[in-house]
Amino acid sequence: MSPQHQPGEGPLDGLPRVRAKRPALWLLLVPAVLYCAAPLVANRIEPRVLGLPFLLFWIVAATVVSPLVIWLVSRLDPAFRDGAVEPLPVDEPTAGGPR
């Protein structure tokens, strides 16, 4: 038993919890769709954009857009704003107590 916690108290008690509904996480599908759609939508050389074949330009654009989308999702996610932890199943106390 650690000196910081009272008996029966878990290490995550008192920290904000994550809500079940987090719609901003759906935006994380945008980068995946951009990459998966490339062979279907952009699989051609012409037109050239900035001197690059269209498919290469599409992939470069998707690579630039992906971190922006991830940054936006982190800002829109209430768990990020509240500083909430995302507990893992291993964090839950067991019936037998710590081993």
Side-chain angles (χ1 to χ4, degrees), residues 10-98:
L12 302 178
D13 290 347
L15 293 174
R17 291 292 184 162
V18 176
R19 288 191 333 225
K21 294 192 178 202
R22 296 161 62 190
L25 296 181
W26 283 101
L27 287 173
L28 291 175
L29 288 175
V30 170
V33 168
L34 284 175
Y35 284 112
C36 290
L40 305 174
V41 176
N43 194 10
R44 56 184 180 265
I45 294 174
E46 298 294 332
R48 291 188 177 265
V49 182
L50 301 174
L52 297 173
F54 190 63
L55 178 60
L56 182 57
F57 174 76
W58 182 283
I59 292 171
V60 169
T63 303
V64 170
V65 167
S66 294
L68 298 174
V69 169
I70 294 169
W71 175 82
L72 178 66
V73 168
S74 71
R75 298 295 177 215
L76 293 174
D77 189 22
F80 178 82
R81 287 195 304 261
D82 296 341
V85 295
E86 295 193 46
L88 301 171
V90 73
D91 294 331
E92 297 298 323
T94 59

